[in-house]
Amino acid sequence: MIEPKYFYDLALAHGTDFFAGVPDSLLKNFCAYITDNAPSEKHIISANEGSATALAAGYHFATGKTPLIYMQNSGEGNMINPLLSLADPDVYSVPMLILIGWRGEPGVHDEPQHVKQGKVTCDLLDAMKVPYHVLTAETADLEKKFDEAYAYINEKSAPYAFVIKKGTFADYALKNNEAVQGNMSREEAIEKIMLAADEKAIFVSTTGMASRELYELREKHSMNHEKDFLTVGSMGHASQIALSIAMQKQGRKVYCIDGDGATIMQMGGLATIGSRAPKNLVHIVLNNGAHDSVGGQPTIARKIDLCGIAKSCGYEIVKKVETIPELEDSLSNLENKLTFIEVLVKKGARKDLGRPKSTPIENKNAFMEFLAL
Ligand SMILES: Cc1ncc(C[n+]2csc(CCOP(=O)(O)OP(=O)(O)O)c2C)c(N)n1
């Protein structure tokens, strides 16, 4: 296995001292190492992977140095536009090293949302003409791989990628793991929201543990799953799915259960929601100030005014709640107006949290039948 420190030191030795990206579970030990060890002005956990690519470009323009960006392969799509229209040698020719965590690698069992992305991870790099090397726990000559990568990067002034297989990095526990204050867990908040909703209410939940918790809570309360659309991939897009449903199903309440990292990843969606202002949509952001589902790296969500953003985007009712009674009170007094509720929750999840047992297609079919009622 590769020690995160060794990898980080090799990057430094090759002149790379700036890091930007979105955390990933496969890269979590390396992400944690950067979070703890890179000076804060040299590390930005970006809103999305496209932003990371642009931050890297800006750093290169300002310093002449080669930055590093990191992401889960789910983020390749977010990176594609700035990679091809900004960093590509046919445009501004920006050198950078790209680290991509390979979820859904063919032959390795993974969740359904990772399967297709896993199959095309390297094909996408081929199509973009970004050369890459696959790193594994067995990679012995990492220094040589770095030399080869930087020989290309420096000669062509262009991006080069390392595709990282599961289990490549040795353990590293995040030290800079600030406790995020909260009176309730994300799961407790979801339970209250789920139980407060009426029979015909529709749920759209975000990527990561929130959807897994909603699934398990339905089981715990012997409820079926047809009310829930689990946005298992497509991080940041749950709110737009919910908006579109709310506009078509005006007689029914639609609850979007969102995460703070996901909300920030596609924050423009709030403006679209506000401009349409469906009265039946309740957009709830469970703010734990972290990318909890992939290792707990911090987001900036506890440092910005999410409610202020929602208000200025046109949400009619905007509330921030910190305690279970406050949450219950908001849920039992919902008005027929576009509502935004920011719920401050703790980081962390149950160790024995399971995963949905039905397939995405089964989930969608049952959900569409429920919407048609
Ligand atoms: C485009 C994209 N980038 C990265 C990921 C990996 N990922 C899955 S869940 C998650 C964190 C989500 O954070 P947040 O929305 O705050 O919810 P939390 O996990 O804290 O409940 C990340 C980064 C992804 N699925 N898709």
Side-chain angles (χ1 to χ4, degrees):
M1 277 194 277
I2 299 174
E3 289 297 333
K5 179 180 183 335
Y6 180 51
F7 194 97
Y8 180 80
D9 288 345
L10 277 175
L12 290 186
H14 285 81
T16 291
D17 65 355
F18 179 83
F19 307 85
V22 177
D24 167 38
S25 45
L26 295 193
L27 302 180
K28 83 172 180 208
N29 298 323
F30 181 65
C31 294
Y33 191 86
I34 307 175
T35 302
D36 280 349
N37 293 286
S40 73
E41 69 281 8
K42 296 291 176 76
H43 179 211
I44 300 180
I45 296 178
S46 58
N48 60 53
E49 295 79 359
S51 307
T53 314
L55 287 163
Y59 188 75
H60 172 72
F61 300 148
T63 63
K65 296 185 195 173
T66 297
L68 181 155
I69 61 174
Y70 59 85
M71 67 195 68
Q72 181 173 100
N73 53 350
S74 326
E76 261 182 312
N78 283 341
M79 165 182 72
I80 285 175
N81 175 251
L83 198 66
L84 296 183
S85 64
L86 171 68
D88 192 88
D90 284 349
V91 196
Y92 287 107
S93 204
V94 184
M96 62 182 74
L97 183 63
I98 307 170
L99 248 60
I100 302 174
W102 197 354
R103 295 292 304 258
E105 182 201 341
V108 178
H109 175 75
D110 210 333
E111 296 307 302
Q113 66 273 22
H114 295 296
V115 172
K116 186 56 172 265
Q117 184 76 46
K119 281 184 197 159
V120 302
T121 294
C122 296
D123 295 344
L124 285 173
L125 292 170
D126 287 332
M128 293 190 289
K129 307 213 174 349
V130 173
Y132 60 89
H133 185 78
V134 177
L135 298 182
T136 72
E138 285 75 45
T139 301
D141 49 355
L142 188 62
E143 207 172 327
K144 196 164 149 244
K145 298 296 170 234
F146 261 82
D147 290 344
E148 285 163 11
Y150 279 83
Y152 175 88
I153 289 170
N154 294 332
E155 190 202 326
K156 305 274 185 206
S157 187
Y160 182 99
F162 282 143
V163 177
I164 316 277
K165 287 197 186 192
K166 192 173 178 182
T168 295
F169 282 111
D171 281 349
Y172 177 88
L174 183 64
K175 296 192 187 72
N176 213 335
N177 200 356
E178 257 176 58
V180 177
Q181 297 307 319
N183 294 300
M184 64 189 120
S185 67
R186 182 185 47 225
E187 187 170 15
E188 283 169 322
I190 295 172
E191 187 167 31
K192 298 295 171 205
I193 300 161
M194 184 187 88
L195 295 177
D198 67 56
E199 273 297 291
K200 290 197 81 184
I202 296 160
F203 281 76
V204 180
S205 57
T206 187
T207 313
M209 288 174 177
S211 281
R212 292 165 59 187
E213 288 167 345
L214 178 58
Y215 187 93
E216 295 229 326
L217 286 164
R218 293 284 186 202
E219 302 265 299
K220 174 179 164 192
H221 290 275
S222 306
M223 294 164 134
N224 293 329
H225 300 286
E226 78 278 356
K227 297 182 167 71
D228 310 327
F229 184 81
L230 309 177
T231 315
V232 289
S234 262
M235 181 173 162
H237 297 299
S239 72
Q240 303 305 289
I241 299 170
L243 166 62
S244 216
I245 293 171
M247 289 174 67
Q248 300 309 318
K249 298 285 168 190
Q250 291 180 14
R252 294 168 72 174
K253 272 266 181 269
V254 179
Y255 292 82
C256 175
I257 298 186
D258 221 341
D260 53 288
T263 301
I264 291 171
M265 182 170 272
Q266 299 293 346
M267 200 136 80
L270 271 67
T272 312
I273 294 173
S275 73
R276 296 303 177 131
K279 295 192 178 310
N280 52 334
L281 179 60
V282 185
H283 188 177
I284 301 173
V285 177
L286 304 176
N287 185 356
N288 53 16
H291 287 284
D292 193 38
S293 301
V294 290
Q297 291 84 358
T299 70
I300 48 161
R302 288 294 188 106
K303 302 197 171 103
I304 61 172
D305 179 8
L306 280 178
C307 286
I309 293 165
K311 183 105 203 120
S312 61
C313 285
Y315 286 70
E316 293 169 287
I317 307 276
V318 172
K319 282 185 184 163
K320 184 187 221 161
V321 302
E322 294 191 32
T323 62
I324 290 181
E326 280 171 8
L327 174 61
E328 287 179 319
D329 185 59
S330 310
L331 293 168
S332 54
N333 290 305
L334 286 176
E335 291 179 57
N336 195 28
K337 289 182 174 165
L338 173 60
T339 301
F340 183 87
I341 306 176
E342 177 185 3
V343 187
L344 301 186
V345 295
K346 288 184 270 206
K347 276 209 292 197
R350 267 189 293 128
K351 290 275 170 291
D352 60 349
L353 182 63
R355 293 179 183 274
K357 291 174 191 67
S358 45
T359 67
I361 302 280
E362 285 165 353
N363 175 214
K364 182 193 74 174
N365 290 343
F367 182 69
M368 287 180 72
E369 275 177 36
F370 177 68
L371 294 194
L373 289 179

